[in-house]
Amino acid sequence: MASKDLSWKYVEDQTVEPDVVRGARAQSLELGVEAVSPATGAQLAVIAAALAAESIIEIGTGIGVSGLWLLQGAPDAQLTSIDVEADHHEAARRHFTEAGHAPARVRLITGRAADVLPRMNEHDYDVVLIDADAASLLEYVEHALRLVRAGGAVLVPHALWRDTVADPAKRDGVTADLRGLIAELRESPAVHVAISPVGDGLLQLITAR
């Protein structure tokens, strides 16, 4: 497994983050907010670019790292980002502004995702990113599949959950939920499923057209 660890580190080290993303990541570390890894962020950007995303929604703003990466790939997209922490949104907005994204194109909604998501329009988003409250993951994925357009992407960072998903001895709630979700989705004809090992794992769902 050592070679896999070296490959993982190589991929992360070869990812060049824009200065504004590095700044947001540094602030995330200071505040104890876990952000997606650099290589995960780069993969988010590639997917957003490949889909020519025009409308993106993310559940879990943090300090803006994942949102900045998504807009790196789709700079003309409209980003809607939901987080319960108003202080996080205040910090994230500064980073989005520094990156040159017009305030009108970044909508930050402060509130519980469980309350906000039911009010969002169905099949209205090219990309849905879920990076918040792992205990509510199954509920968020259900909402995401309702919100994403046909041929759009639902992206779930931390899908390998600190290496516990691959370890059959680990059976905590989040780990079991992720295993069950992956098993259910891979049998579904409604989505194309892939799991990337970058960062803490990235579950990628592309809805069938």
Side-chain angles (χ1 to χ4, degrees):
M1 295 300 292
S3 62
K4 295 295 184 184
D5 292 340
L6 286 173
S7 293
W8 180 91
K9 185 177 186 303
Y10 176 82
V11 169
E12 293 291 343
D13 290 347
Q14 293 306 305
T15 302
V16 178
E17 289 195 301
D19 289 344
V20 66
V21 179
R22 286 203 301 272
R25 183 178 301 284
Q27 188 174 14
S28 295
L29 289 172
E30 290 173 6
L31 297 176
V33 178
E34 186 173 5
V36 299
S37 77
T40 303
Q43 196 156 348
L44 299 181
V46 167
I47 294 168
L51 291 173
E54 296 179 357
S55 184
I56 300 170
I57 186 168
E58 67 170 347
I59 305 163
T61 309
I63 310 302
V65 172
S66 54
L68 287 166
W69 269 117
L70 287 163
L71 291 175
Q72 177 81 7
D76 295 325
Q78 173 80 45
L79 173 68
T80 298
S81 189
I82 305 165
D83 202 293
V84 73
E85 298 288 347
D87 290 347
H88 292 175
H89 272 170
E90 183 178 344
R93 189 175 293 283
R94 289 196 296 270
H95 294 298
F96 286 124
T97 299
E98 182 184 349
H101 300 298
R105 303 203 68 80
V106 180
R107 179 171 60 153
L108 303 180
I109 300 176
T110 304
R112 293 176 63 250
D115 297 330
V116 175
L117 292 173
R119 304 200 299 267
M120 300 290 103
N121 293 331
E122 293 188 6
H123 312 306
D124 204 37
Y125 297 92
D126 301 302
V127 177
V128 182
L129 177 73
I130 304 171
D131 189 15
D133 188 14
S136 299
L137 177 62
L138 301 184
E139 178 185 359
Y140 294 159
V141 169
E142 184 176 340
H143 279 297
L145 292 173
R146 178 181 61 83
L147 297 177
V148 72
R149 66 165 174 81
V154 175
L155 306 173
V156 185
H158 311 295
L160 297 178
W161 199 244
R162 299 167 176 83
D163 289 329
T164 62
V165 172
D167 184 349
K170 304 295 185 182
R171 300 177 182 176
D172 64 275
V174 173
T175 299
D177 283 349
L178 278 163
R179 284 196 196 114
L181 175 65
I182 292 167
E184 181 178 350
L185 289 169
R186 73 187 180 197
E187 300 297 329
S188 173
V191 290
H192 305 287
V193 183
I195 305 171
S196 169
V198 295
D200 195 24
L202 178 64
L203 176 62
Q204 304 159 71
L205 313 175
I206 303 295
T207 53
R209 293 182 181 276

